[in-house]
Amino acid sequence: MTDEPIWRRDFPLTSAGEDETTRREFVRYLVVGSGGFAAGSVGIALWSSLRSINAGEPRRIVDLDRVPEGTSHLFRYPTDADPAILVHLPGGELRAFSQKCTHLGCVVYYEPDTTELHCPCHEGLFDARDGAVESGPPQRPLGRIDVEVRNGAVWAIENLGEQEAQR
Amino acid sequence: MTAPLPTPRGRRRERDVPVAVGVFVAVLLALQMFLLTVGLDAFLADDDALAWTTAGFSVLLAAGSIGFYRYLR
């Protein structure tokens, strides 16, 4: 037994190209494919918008005397999957930022000679005092982390996220 | 009585239309793939504005393909 329709048995005639895909059928696949891509893009945008900033819990980072002025210390905050950098600026001020560059997520490093945070992937430069973009492809400042000194140790208090840099 | 032979211009048009459809499809899907990549980059870099912009363009292209589908009746 074959699955061919009755009319095919009654009229066993074939024509050239009858098994080929028509333009309309072809474009139907295009609509499905294009719609799938569009749904994926909208889903990514929704996910990006709806995820909330994890403010984190206060956590001890390091003893202050282990981070002399003009040096930096790498740590993780607010979770162990979030790289962060503590900078002890010349003059004594402490600043902490997310280590993820706001361009494409590479990690930034402290340049003590210029008091800048440098992203080696695409030569992005951020001001180490406030995380503001100085040059390169990044368009947004680094995420800030509020820190304070308690009993000779530096504590991360809260993840502030990206906010307008205040000079 | 025999049917008139197609003119060279008519034959060229018959050939050009499927090529145009193929080019349209290739460009459209390549653009969609590019936009999805940009959207993922925006997601990883926490750039909501860019993610929504690429999603908007992607939806626009999908609407264009639906319009094309309706045109090819």
Side-chain angles (χ1 to χ4, degrees), chain A residues 21-59:
Chain A
T21 306
T22 64
R23 277 183 300 177
R24 190 166 163 77
E25 286 169 343
F26 183 61
V27 173
R28 191 181 298 149
Y29 291 117
L30 168 71
V31 170
V32 172
S34 192
F37 275 112
S41 292
V42 170
I44 288 169
L46 269 175
W47 189 7
S48 184
S49 294
L50 294 179
R51 63 182 170 175
S52 58
I53 294 175
N54 182 359
E57 297 293 321
R59 187 199 296 176

Side-chain angles (χ1 to χ4, degrees), chain B:
Chain B
M1 196 168 169
T2 57
L5 290 171
T7 61
R9 189 177 170 186
R11 270 189 245 119
R12 189 166 61 239
R13 188 178 297 163
E14 283 171 13
R15 192 176 61 243
D16 285 350
V17 169
V19 171
V21 172
V23 168
F24 184 85
V25 168
V27 169
L28 196 93
L29 287 184
L31 263 174
Q32 287 283 28
M33 195 167 286
F34 167 75
L35 287 172
L36 191 70
T37 310
V38 173
L40 276 171
D41 267 346
F43 174 77
L44 292 174
D46 299 330
D47 192 344
D48 294 351
L50 182 59
W52 278 112
T53 305
T54 54
F57 274 112
S58 188
V59 168
L60 205 64
L61 283 177
S65 66
I66 291 170
F68 193 51
Y69 179 68
R70 291 176 64 85
Y71 172 75
L72 281 179
R73 283 194 184 281

